Structures are given as structure tokens and as C-alpha cells.
């Protein structure tokens, strides 16, 4: 399983500004260590102690999107700041949930679809950047592959952050 963390104006479940949700993925028989041993129920009960919402293996990405991401998208388009990120060990399902596939789109394409559906009816400036932090290297993913070089990480109040060196795309 992995966790989604949702700070900001997201207030549908309690009044806390940060929500932690856990999604279980089905056991995958391609990993021998995951062959079912009937212990998932016990794990579930422990997770419930700290999560605001637990998504079982039977729940779809669509369901997860409707329950936790869409309210965040709506409040963000309304002018609030919002962040959603996924973390978890390798193969826990972060990419599956956030990116998905052509047939089962993940949270990011579903959110983009919703954003564009909403803003097409009004005048709106949308600026998009896309970066990867991998092994402490920050990369701008909107730059052509052959032109990419690591973004510099600087600290301090008056120096630019990685984001300010990034390409920004106005849609
Ligand atoms: N909810 C799910 N239902 C069915 N299959 C899933 C689900 N979540 C993940 N998987 C499958 O589990 C495998 C690992 O998932 P994924 O690649 O998303 O993990 P990851 O957390 O992004 O891994 P890494 O950190 O190594 O990139 C993939 O084969 C993916 O299709």
C-alpha cells in the first residue's frame, strides 16, 4: 500500500488541513513474497489507526479520485492552494494511482481533464510545470530529453528555488 497526503483547503472529512489516505493494491502473484497468506485483514486494522481514509484493493482509481482528489481540484481552481502527493515503497502502486494507463487513467490525467473542463467556461491563466526528484537530482520533465540537465538546488530566502529555473508552460 502507499499513502496520499493532502494539505490545504481540503475539508470534507474533518477540519484538519492535512489528510493521510492509504490505498491497498491487490496482491500481485508476480512477486513470490506476495503470495496470499491471509494476513491482510490484520494489516488493515493497524493502518486505520492513522489514516483518514483507507482504499481497499477493490476500490478503483476513479473512486479514489472522486473521494479525495476532485474536492482538492475544485478548491484549487477556486483560488486555494492545494497539494497531493503519493509516497510508499517501490512497487506499492504510486505510478498506477497517480499516472494510471490509457484505459485506467490516474489522478493526474483525471485532474487535468477536470481543470480544463472547468476553465474552458472562463478566462483563466493556467501555468504547468513538471519535475522529477530522483536520487536527489531534480529534473525538468517538460524540457526535451536531450536538453535536460539537473536543476540546481539552492537554499536561502533570496535565491531561486528549483521551480524558478524550471520551464513553465502557459495553457
Ligand atoms: N490498485 C492496483 N490494482 C492493480 N494493480 C496495481 C494497483 N496498484 C499497482 N498495481 C500494479 O503493481 C505494480 C507496481 O505498481 P507501480 O509501478 O504503480 O508502483 P510504484 O509505487 O510506482 O513503484 P516504483 O516506486 O518502483 O516506481 C504495477 O504492475 C501496477 O500495475
Amino acid at each position: 500500500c502507499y499513502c496520499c497526503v493532502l494539505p490545504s483547503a481540503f475539508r470534507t472529512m474533518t477540519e484538519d488541513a492535512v489528510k493521510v489516505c492509504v490505498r491497498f493494491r491487490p496482491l500481485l502473484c508476480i512477486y513470490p513474497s506476495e503470495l496470499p497468506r491471509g494476513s491482510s485483514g490484520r494489516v488493515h486494522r493497524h493502518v486505520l489507526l492513522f489514516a483518514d481514509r483507507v482504499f481497499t484493493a477493490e476500490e478503483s482509481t476513479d473512486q479514489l479520485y472522486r473521494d479525495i482528489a476532485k474536492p482538492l481540484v475544485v478548491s484549487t481552481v477556486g483560488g486555494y492552494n492545494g497539494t497531493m502527493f503519493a509516497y510508499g515503497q517501490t512497487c506499492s502502486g504510486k505510478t498506477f494511482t497517480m499516472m494510471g494507463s490509457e484505459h485506467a487513467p490516474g489522478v493526474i490525467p483525471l485532474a487535468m481533464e477536470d481543470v480544463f473542463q472547468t476553465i474552458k467556461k472562463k478566462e483563466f491563466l493556467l501555468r504547468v510545470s513538471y519535475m522529477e526528484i530522483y536520487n536527489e537530482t531534480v529534473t525538468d520533465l517538460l524540457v526535451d530529453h536531450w536538453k535536460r540537465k539537473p536543476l540546481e538546488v539552492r537554499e536561502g530566502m533570496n535565491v531561486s528555488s528549483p521551480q524558478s529555473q524550471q520551464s513553465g508552460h502557459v495553457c
Side-chain angles (χ1 to χ4, degrees), residues 81-99:
N81 289 330
T83 304
M84 174 169 171
F85 69 90
Y87 72 92
Q89 69 178 61
T90 188
C91 280
S92 54
K94 303 178 296 293
T95 310
F96 182 93
T97 299
M98 300 304 277
M99 297 303 293

Side-chain angles (χ1 to χ4, degrees), residues 1-2 23-28 30-31 34 56-61 87-98 100 134:
C1 71
Y2 77 92
R23 184 182 195 188
F24 284 85
R25 67 156 165 71
L27 296 173
L28 299 175
I30 48 172
Y31 303 117
E34 290 195 2
T56 64
E58 288 72 41
E59 289 180 277
S60 65
T61 303
Y87 72 92
Q89 69 178 61
T90 188
C91 280
S92 54
K94 303 178 296 293
T95 310
F96 182 93
T97 299
M98 300 304 277
Y134 188 74

Side-chain angles (χ1 to χ4, degrees), residues 25-81:
R25 67 156 165 71
L27 296 173
L28 299 175
C29 293
I30 48 172
Y31 303 117
S33 62
E34 290 195 2
L35 290 173
R37 287 194 206 113
S39 62
S40 59
R42 223 172 304 141
V43 174
H44 225 170
R45 280 201 296 277
H46 289 304
V47 169
L48 281 171
L49 293 176
F50 70 81
D52 292 288
R53 171 74 156 89
V54 174
F55 292 90
T56 64
E58 288 72 41
E59 289 180 277
S60 65
T61 303
D62 257 350
Q63 179 72 50
L64 180 148
Y65 179 76
R66 276 196 303 272
D67 285 4
I68 64 167
K70 186 157 180 148
L72 190 65
V73 170
V74 170
S75 67
T76 305
V77 173
Y80 293 93
N81 289 330

